[in-house]
Amino acid sequence: MAVDRFGESVAAAYDNPDDEMFAAKLIDRTVTFLTGHARGGAALEFGIGTGRIALPLSAGGVPVHGIDLSPAMLGRLRAKPGAERIELTVGDIAHTRVPGTYSLVYLVFNTIMNLTTQDEQVACFSNASAHLDEGGRFVVEVMVPDLQRLPPGETLRPFALTPTRLGFDEYGVVDQRLVSHHYRLGGARVETSSVPFRYVWPAELDLMARLAGLTRLERWSDWNHAPFTSVSARHISVWQKVT
């Protein structure tokens, strides 16, 4: 059963303008990329959250419907200008169906890893395919597992080291588990949280896509279409529905 790990305390702090994912240039590049793949049609976002991407995408003329498991995150989205243009559904991205089909289904910023079993990730691809028009595209942005940068026998990899924030990813190689440990420092207070994920390899995602009737169209290392290489830290992959 899907577990909502984005309650009110997380939602309240989510829209942090100092976080790199809220950089205006990054959002603009993401929206431009997704608009191109929508090809004049409607889009469905899996894990819409507080609308970081959906709001500017909708403002640019792409009709957007969003699914998210967290009522708290959707509550934050509904309070924002422009949210009235976006249809929202509470549900998990692996199984929740909404009416109609779309030219584009997308999920960004490692959302596929919130599904912590392979079966759930496979179901997510199947769900995306079921929502796509013939020829529609499924776009996924996700990190490449950082194992090649881990010394032999080590399991921890830092991803944030600042005076007010520390973050470490803990890898479980046997079952492809990853736990992100967060430490936020404020005066005498230290807030901690640990969030479980399942990391997934690009080739594994390609197989999940094939099982869902999708064929890989392209793969890049960023939203600017930089080539994907053996040292890329993340990838943006596009699969197309074909029969």
Side-chain angles (χ1 to χ4, degrees):
M1 180 178 295
V3 178
D4 177 11
R5 296 186 175 88
F6 292 80
E8 184 55 43
S9 62
V10 175
Y14 193 81
D15 290 341
N16 179 1
D18 295 327
D19 194 310
E20 63 179 0
M21 72 174 177
F22 285 95
K25 288 184 179 179
L26 174 61
I27 291 174
D28 287 346
R29 291 194 297 264
T30 305
V31 169
T32 297
F33 186 103
L34 294 173
T35 299
H37 282 287
R39 296 160 295 122
L44 173 64
E45 180 169 2
F46 282 177
I48 193 171
T50 61
R52 179 179 70 97
I53 300 303
L55 284 168
L57 186 63
S58 172
V62 178
V64 179
H65 193 134
I67 299 173
D68 203 283
L69 189 61
S70 169
M73 296 286 274
L74 293 181
R76 296 280 165 171
L77 169 52
R78 288 189 177 102
K80 295 179 180 180
E84 68 280 357
R85 295 190 299 266
I86 301 174
E87 295 185 72
L88 299 173
T89 299
V90 177
D92 75 277
I93 61 175
H95 302 101
T96 300
R97 291 292 308 274
V98 298
T101 57
Y102 299 82
S103 296
L104 172 69
V105 178
Y106 69 95
L107 53 83
V108 296
F109 205 69
N110 301 327
T111 299
I112 188 71
M113 290 170 43
N114 290 335
L115 302 172
T116 56
T117 70
Q118 187 182 66
D119 285 347
E120 287 179 313
Q121 292 174 348
V122 169
C124 179
F125 271 77
S126 178
N127 197 26
S129 181
H131 282 99
L132 284 173
D133 300 329
E134 179 65 24
R137 280 90 183 270
F138 183 33
V139 176
V140 173
E141 177 197 17
V142 65
M143 61 173 276
V144 177
D146 223 7
L147 298 184
Q148 65 177 321
R149 296 173 178 86
L150 280 177
E154 296 294 325
T155 60
L156 294 175
R157 173 77 179 168
F159 62 84
L161 296 172
T162 74
T164 58
R165 184 185 176 208
L166 301 174
F168 301 89
D169 282 336
E170 181 180 6
Y171 283 86
V173 177
V174 172
D175 52 7
Q176 292 184 211
R177 296 294 177 135
L178 183 152
V179 180
S180 287
H181 302 285
H182 301 261
Y183 304 85
R184 292 176 175 84
L185 316 177
R189 290 190 58 189
V190 179
E191 296 181 1
T192 66
S193 63
S194 295
V195 183
F197 298 100
R198 181 185 186 270
Y199 67 81
V200 59
W201 299 100
E204 188 181 7
L205 292 172
D206 286 339
L207 181 55
M208 293 179 186
R210 287 180 60 190
L211 294 172
L214 307 173
T215 299
R216 177 152 60 91
L217 196 62
E218 54 193 60
R219 173 165 289 142
W220 309 100
S221 67
D222 64 24
W223 298 104
N224 282 330
H225 300 92
F228 180 72
T229 72
S230 61
V231 295
S232 295
R234 63 179 49 249
H235 63 98
I236 293 94
S237 296
V238 183
W239 295 273
Q240 186 171 36
K241 185 172 183 177
V242 293
T243 56

